[in-house]
Amino acid sequence: MTVAARRLINCWLKLRRNAADLNRRLQEPKLRVLIVEDDDMIASGLRTAFERAHHTVEHTPDGDEGLSLAKSGNFDLMILDLGLPSKDGIEVLRALRSSKSDLAVIILSARDKIADRIQGLDIGADDYLVKPFELEELLARARVLERRRANVASNTIQRGPLLLNLDAMTVSWQNANVDLPRREWMLLRLLAESPSRVFSRDQIERALYGVGENTESNAIDVHVHHLRRKLHSEIVQTVRGVGYRFGNLN
């Protein structure tokens, strides 16, 4: 085989690998969508449309369950009907925003009065569509929210229900903001940026305090205790005899 032929084959193989990688990324789930809708036919159509667009979908017809799922931190977008059993959609949205959740919400409702739309948007919906609606328009509006999420996430770290905004130095757990002092924030970021790495106490102290700064002998233990209390008991894992690593939140 000539050198030119070998180069041509290698180029072709590289193109195939690149094409396969692109196709794999295009097929990956984009948004985690929660549908809260009590009309089975509408819910089925919504599920099919979002899944064909490579989003992952969970559905509940119940307002109380919808609120609980929305507050779990496991979704990027909620499609919310207003006329729900057990808890009206407006009550669901109001309770969600009261919990400091920033989950994106699109209301789908037959309530078509201007006052209804204004109320939904003022309470905290990101968008409002009146039934009947076109699925293509709903998907387009979801794509807008997806692009917004991608722009925000460009300088963030997400590990399950934990989200760190590196620019604002803020942290949220299950879509609720949590106030952390600077060094607790620094420790959490250090661990979350390299979740599979175990950091020794010396490495953590240098990252948090620098070289030569006097610290209490139990300072790291105190920071770890506070993170576990404020966020989750498994947020930081102790590796005995070595140090700490980011915890398993599954």
Side-chain angles (χ1 to χ4, degrees), residues 182-249:
R182 182 170 65 91
R183 288 204 167 99
E184 289 176 21
W185 155 262
M186 292 170 65
L187 173 57
L188 184 62
R189 174 179 177 173
L190 178 71
L191 300 178
E193 281 184 321
S194 304
S196 61
R197 178 179 172 183
V198 179
F199 290 87
S200 69
R201 297 177 67 87
D202 286 343
Q203 289 172 323
I204 294 174
E205 285 184 2
R206 286 197 299 271
L208 269 59
Y209 297 97
V211 178
E213 183 174 345
N214 293 326
T215 62
E216 297 291 335
S217 60
N218 66 338
I220 303 303
D221 300 314
V222 171
H223 294 324
V224 169
H225 171 75
H226 287 166
L227 289 176
R228 288 170 173 165
R229 178 172 56 82
K230 294 176 182 178
L231 296 170
H232 191 279
S233 61
E234 301 296 325
I235 194 74
V236 180
Q237 177 184 346
T238 301
V239 181
R240 295 192 180 280
V242 182
Y244 297 100
R245 58 170 291 175
F246 191 78
N248 182 3
L249 302 178

Side-chain angles (χ1 to χ4, degrees), residues 36-50:
V36 187
E37 168 64 67
D38 65 332
D39 186 307
D40 289 339
M41 185 174 296
I42 293 176
S44 177
L46 291 172
R47 176 187 286 276
T48 299
F50 276 102

